[in-house]
Amino acid sequence: MKTDGLNTGRDWLELQETNSRFIVLDSNDLIVSCNDRVKHAQFDLKMHTNLPLDCFWLDADQRTFHLSEFKQIVGKEIKLLFMPSDREAYRVKVMVEAFQLLDRPYYSLLIQDDQTEFSFNNTHPSYQMAQVLSADLKHNVLELNYQPQINIVDKSLYGVEVLARWTSKEFGRVAPDNFVALAEEFGLIAELDLWVLRQACKQLAMWREQNIHVPMIAVNFSPLSFSYPSLKNEIQSILDQNGLLATCLVMEVTESKKIKPSDPFIDAVNELHSIGVTISLDDFGTGYSNLKRLLKFPVSQLKLDRVFVDELPNKLSKELSEVVLSISKKINAVAIAEGVETQLQLSYLADIGYRVIQGYFFSRPLSALEFETWLLKMPMLFNK
Ligand code: C2E
Ligand code: CA
Ligand code: CA
């Protein structure tokens, strides 16, 4: 049967003689061939794996592009930005064609340098910062902080929220809001979020070994990270490697305009829920929280945004914190108030029925070691 593009042995030979770089993938997305120019260009394409971190869409939604996705764009041309860590970034055009050889399906990626203008160039400060972030992720330069979440009814530890910290040699300490936004812009966010998850699971496994009781870890996941292919399998394998059950993992997600209704986001969230991961809606009550969507979404936790807590006991904040609590009851979710700093805020929230509290009143985010010390002293918090 004739397919578009290459379909004969002769075309195959011609392809091998081309001056352009090319890669041939089989139907399992394995690289079966590439020409020397690709090899010499050190494309860093690894067999059996996705394209490396340093590969980005330049189209509307900038994100990492994965080998398996090429199949979906046969007959089309796309533009990618490569950011190899050892070289300057460059933009390429990739033409994808399907062909048959000895009755087997393959597809070829023809790669040409793209001379059109860069949307950001490699002297741009945020581009340079993204490259450093990418390298620092590879070299485990980032660190994690843990902030306790307290069940104020039985005075126990409910869980910890995991927060990433980045101090780079080049840029010093960078605020999480800034490097998370940077990672989102440059397609590094799934790698960041998965890196955090891996380290946090390792830490939880270590605590369990030492009989340090931490019931759950809550890890932040950007909505953009949900387009990472086979996210569920990746997460399951991280849990398995550390001997952890999915029920000890909470994924905190903030709704955002970046999620379009057609996105795989909702499906991915449902899949994760189906393996036992708890889904928490972060910053609830601000921005893009969408009540209608709550119905489609297996949410088991709602986090009252700290801007409301901050303004307690202002009348509107009081009403909103009550609304969030009553919504959580209706959908059978746990309401968590975060950013609680004062006794006044705590008393008010406790009186209206919040059971789980997070904030400086109990503890700032801590290093693993500081957290272990804090945990020993936790019973004393309630004897104040
Ligand atoms: P978030 O998820 O809302 O995290 C809570 C933020 O509130 C943290 O800021 C925490 O340090 C701060 N906080 C906690 N208690 C209090 C309090 O009592 N008072 C005040 N004023 N602040 C409090 P942080 O660590 O700067 O993180 C900022 C944001 O960066 C996070 O907001 C989260 O959206 C994002 N982020 C951090 N780590 C990651 C990560 O690994 N992945 C992703 N995707 N996002 C992350
Ligand atoms: Ca959070
Ligand atoms: Ca939050």
Side-chain angles (χ1 to χ4, degrees), residues 144 147 161-165 175-177 179-180 184 189 192-193 196 219-222 225 252 254 282-283 303 305-306 338-341 358-361 363-365:
L144 298 186
Q147 188 177 31
E161 178 173 2
V162 183
L163 294 154
R165 297 288 176 258
D177 283 325
F179 67 76
V180 167
E184 288 186 337
I189 190 66
L192 170 68
D193 287 343
V196 170
V219 176
N220 292 284
F221 260 73
S222 159
S225 297
E252 293 193 8
T254 308
D282 206 352
D283 304 338
K303 289 190 84 174
D305 193 80
R306 67 176 191 271
E338 72 175 334
V340 177
E341 294 183 0
Q358 177 184 348
Y360 294 173
F361 181 78
S363 171
R364 289 178 175 264

Side-chain angles (χ1 to χ4, degrees), residues 1-9 11-12 15 23-27 29 32 69-77 94-110:
M1 196 181 77
K2 198 155 168 71
T3 50
D4 283 336
L6 301 160
N7 67 340
T8 66
D11 289 339
W12 165 239
L15 180 63
I23 299 167
V24 176
L25 303 173
D26 69 10
S27 55
D29 308 320
V32 292
E69 294 177 82
F70 284 113
K71 249 188 266 178
Q72 296 151 21
I73 48 160
V74 166
K76 292 191 188 141
E77 181 183 284
V94 184
M95 292 265 295
V96 187
E97 302 288 0
F99 69 101
Q100 303 267 339
L101 200 64
L102 302 174
D103 282 340
R104 291 226 187 118
Y106 293 91
Y107 50 113
S108 65
L109 317 179
L110 207 63

Side-chain angles (χ1 to χ4, degrees), residues 73 78 88 136 175 198-199 202 219 229 237 264 268 281 298 318 368:
I73 48 160
I78 53 158
E88 288 184 349
D136 281 0
R198 262 180 233 114
Q199 306 300 318
K202 260 193 224 162
V219 176
S237 97
L281 216 47
K318 273 180 156 181

Side-chain angles (χ1 to χ4, degrees), residues 226-239:
F226 286 86
S227 60
Y228 188 87
S230 53
L231 184 67
K232 183 189 83 178
N233 295 346
E234 182 69 29
I235 289 179
Q236 185 70 65
S237 97
I238 294 172
L239 290 165

Side-chain angles (χ1 to χ4, degrees), residues 52-206:
L53 295 181
D54 41 23
C55 157
F56 302 93
W57 265 116
L58 272 188
D59 284 353
D61 54 333
Q62 290 174 3
R63 63 184 177 86
T64 315
F65 199 76
H66 297 276
L67 276 187
S68 58
E69 294 177 82
F70 284 113
K71 249 188 266 178
Q72 296 151 21
I73 48 160
V74 166
K76 292 191 188 141
E77 181 183 284
I78 53 158
K79 287 178 182 168
L80 296 175
L81 178 72
F82 281 91
M83 290 173 66
S85 43
D86 55 338
R87 300 183 33 198
E88 288 184 349
Y90 56 103
R91 227 161 85 158
V92 292
K93 280 195 274 194
V94 184
M95 292 265 295
V96 187
E97 302 288 0
F99 69 101
Q100 303 267 339
L101 200 64
L102 302 174
D103 282 340
R104 291 226 187 118
Y106 293 91
Y107 50 113
S108 65
L109 317 179
L110 207 63
I111 300 164
Q112 285 173 325
D113 292 335
D114 182 23
Q115 304 301 340
T116 53
E117 211 190 313
F118 269 71
S119 63
F120 39 83
N121 64 40
N122 49 22
T123 56
H124 194 282
S126 56
Y127 163 75
Q128 288 176 341
M129 206 168 181
Q131 274 210 316
V132 176
L133 176 60
S134 171
D136 281 0
L137 273 173
K138 277 181 201 147
H139 299 121
N140 296 330
V141 172
L142 283 81
E143 288 167 333
L144 298 186
N145 270 189
Y146 302 88
Q147 188 177 31
Q149 300 172 320
I150 317 280
N151 180 332
I152 52 169
V153 179
D154 64 11
K155 301 179 178 159
S156 66
L157 181 72
Y158 176 84
V160 291
E161 178 173 2
V162 183
L163 294 154
R165 297 288 176 258
W166 182 35
T167 308
S168 100
K169 262 198 209 138
E170 292 83 345
F171 301 99
R173 199 170 180 107
V174 186
D177 283 325
N178 295 345
F179 67 76
V180 167
L182 186 78
E184 288 186 337
E185 185 187 353
F186 286 85
L188 294 168
I189 190 66
E191 280 77 11
L192 170 68
D193 287 343
L194 286 167
W195 182 88
V196 170
L197 179 69
R198 262 180 233 114
Q199 306 300 318
C201 285
K202 260 193 224 162
Q203 182 62 65
L204 182 61
M206 257 152 58

